[in-house]
């Protein structure tokens, strides 16, 4: 029986979301394309794995529930096999995932400090930063494409563990011609009615802090969908006057260039965390988490 890893990833994501629309967004597919791929998987196995209804909601059949842990283990084995193969010709670097593009969130100085600190505890072990599409944050860790994901609130999955690192304030990114541009600070009330950017492939939970979804019902927000591969695409949409966006107060200067970035004084802080696979207790992963925690603590004290 010939099963592709791509098919297994489709099934694992659908099992987590229990909804074809959300799962398809995470896989960068249309719901119909995902459904056809799942049908091919079921045909190859010879049994129905998911229950479907007309609203896109799904559940696993008994066979699907039995198959799920094996699919997850196969994906983990594939990731371990790749690491072992690469290890035969040289030590594979640790992969730190960053939503969007690494430069959006890590200044050169911060990256140099991270690499140097890791070298102290893991001599000779390389670290690479990988941008992760907003719709694939959970998948990137579950399938082993990254070892650790650096991200904010909203990544919640039973197969993942989040280590809190630091809390961060929020800012509002405005075009320079906006009536509120230039103000050093704003309140939530000042911006609550402004149209805000939503990346349509990202999960609602992950998007929540960026549209004040943690402070009000999402349906109360005015949102504009912008397909973004990185913060540069979001910044371009803000500059064009499409909508505004919220961001963390820790964004490096390049990510704020040409934009007004007043702080939201009464918005509660959000949590930055490091996400790893549950059960991935490799020494190098735990060392990376320790280094990230130390650097976050130093950043919080201004050192």
């Amino acid at each position: 029986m010939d099963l592709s890893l791509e098919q297994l990833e489709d099934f694992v994501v659908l099992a987590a979301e229990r909804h074809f629309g959300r799962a398809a967004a995470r896989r960068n597919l249309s719901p119909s394309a995902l459904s056809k791929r799942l049908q091919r998987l079921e045909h190859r196995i010879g049994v129905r794995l998911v229950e479907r209804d007309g609203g896109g909601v799904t559940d696993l059949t008994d066979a699907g529930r039995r198959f799920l842990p094996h699919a997850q283990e196969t994906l983990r084995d594939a990731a371990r096999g790749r690491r072992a193969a690469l290890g035969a010709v040289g030590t594979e670097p640790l992969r730190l995932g960053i939503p969007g593009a690494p430069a959006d969130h890590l200044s050169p100085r911060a990256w140099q400090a991270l690499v140097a600190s890791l070298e102290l505890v893991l001599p000779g072990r390389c670290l690479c930063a990988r941008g992760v599409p907003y719709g694939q944050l959970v998948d990137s860790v579950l399938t082993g494409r990254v070892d650790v994901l650096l991200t904010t609130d909203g990544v919640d999955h039973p197969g993942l563990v989040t280590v809190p690192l630091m809390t961060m304030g929020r800012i509002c990114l405005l075009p320079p011609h906006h009536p509120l541009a230039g103000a050093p600070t704003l309140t939530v009330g000042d911006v609550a009615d402004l149209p805000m950017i939503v990346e349509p492939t990202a999960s609602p939970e992950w998007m929540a802090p960026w549209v004040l979804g943690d402070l009000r019902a999402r349906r109360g927000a005015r949102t504009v969908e912008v397909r973004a591969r990185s913060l540069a695409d979001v910044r371009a949409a803000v500059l064009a006057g499409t909508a505004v966006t919220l961001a963390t107060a820790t964004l490096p200067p390049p990510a704020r260039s040409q934009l007004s970035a007043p702080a939201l004084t009464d918005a509660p802080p959000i949590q930055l965390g490091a996400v790893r696979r549950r059960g991935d207790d490799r020494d190098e992963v735990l060392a990376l988490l320790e280094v990230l925690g130390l650097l976050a603590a130093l950043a919080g004290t201004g050192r």
Side-chain angles (χ1 to χ4, degrees):
M1 180 171 57
D2 182 18
L3 301 180
S4 72
L5 295 179
E6 191 174 61
Q7 289 174 322
L8 296 183
E9 288 187 22
D10 291 340
F11 173 68
V12 168
V13 170
L14 184 59
E17 291 292 346
R18 304 297 172 100
H19 190 276
F20 270 94
R22 292 193 298 268
R26 282 176 53 181
R27 297 294 289 153
N28 283 330
L29 298 168
S30 68
S32 62
L34 177 64
S35 180
K36 290 176 182 177
R37 285 166 59 151
L38 263 294
Q39 288 173 1
R40 287 195 289 270
L41 174 63
E42 291 174 325
H43 178 74
R44 288 186 178 278
I45 295 175
V47 66
R48 192 155 47 90
L49 299 174
V50 299
E51 302 280 5
R52 299 164 172 84
D53 73 12
V57 179
T58 187
D59 197 1
L60 299 184
T61 63
D62 290 341
R65 282 187 282 272
R66 291 192 296 269
F67 182 66
L68 178 59
H70 297 285
Q72 293 169 325
E73 184 59 30
T74 298
L75 292 173
R76 288 192 290 267
D77 283 342
R80 285 193 290 264
R82 181 175 181 274
R83 287 194 294 268
L86 291 173
V89 295
T91 302
E92 183 187 11
L94 278 170
R95 295 155 300 181
L96 178 64
I98 310 290
D104 290 343
H105 305 283
L106 286 175
S107 66
R109 181 178 178 181
W111 177 249
Q112 291 166 6
L114 180 56
V115 170
S117 299
L118 187 66
E119 175 68 21
L120 292 176
V121 295
L122 288 176
R125 191 64 185 264
C126 294
L127 178 68
C128 71
R130 288 189 174 178
V132 179
Y134 299 114
Q136 299 177 17
L137 300 180
V138 171
D139 297 351
S140 69
V141 189
L142 287 177
T143 60
R145 292 198 295 274
V146 301
D147 300 295
V148 173
L149 176 71
L150 195 63
T151 189
T152 52
D153 296 331
V155 177
D156 184 18
H157 189 280
L160 302 177
V161 176
T162 300
V163 178
L165 296 177
M166 64 183 295
T167 57
M168 303 173 294
R170 277 179 272 191
I171 58 177
C172 185
L173 297 182
L174 303 163
H177 58 270
H178 195 279
L180 297 176
T185 63
L186 294 171
T187 67
V188 169
D190 293 328
V191 303
D193 293 331
L194 299 180
M196 295 186 178
I197 290 173
V198 167
E199 212 296 329
T201 67
S203 72
E205 294 77 17
W206 189 83
M207 279 301 313
W210 317 127
V211 294
L212 298 175
D214 56 331
L215 301 179
R216 62 179 176 184
R218 173 73 174 268
R219 62 181 178 274
R222 295 171 59 198
T223 59
V224 177
E225 291 192 354
V226 172
R227 290 298 296 262
R229 293 169 295 178
S230 69
L231 191 58
D233 296 327
V234 175
R235 186 172 62 241
V238 174
L239 283 169
T242 304
V244 305
T245 191
L246 303 188
T248 65
T250 57
L251 282 184
R256 306 189 193 192
S257 59
Q258 300 178 279
L259 299 175
S260 177
L264 292 182
T265 56
D266 56 346
I270 58 176
Q271 184 75 53
L272 175 69
V275 181
R276 65 174 174 87
R277 291 181 297 281
R278 188 175 299 278
D280 187 2
D281 298 323
R282 290 174 292 152
D283 290 343
E284 56 266 38
V285 170
L286 299 181
L288 176 56
L289 293 173
E290 183 178 352
V291 167
L292 288 170
L294 175 61
L295 292 179
L298 292 176
T301 60
R303 293 175 61 185

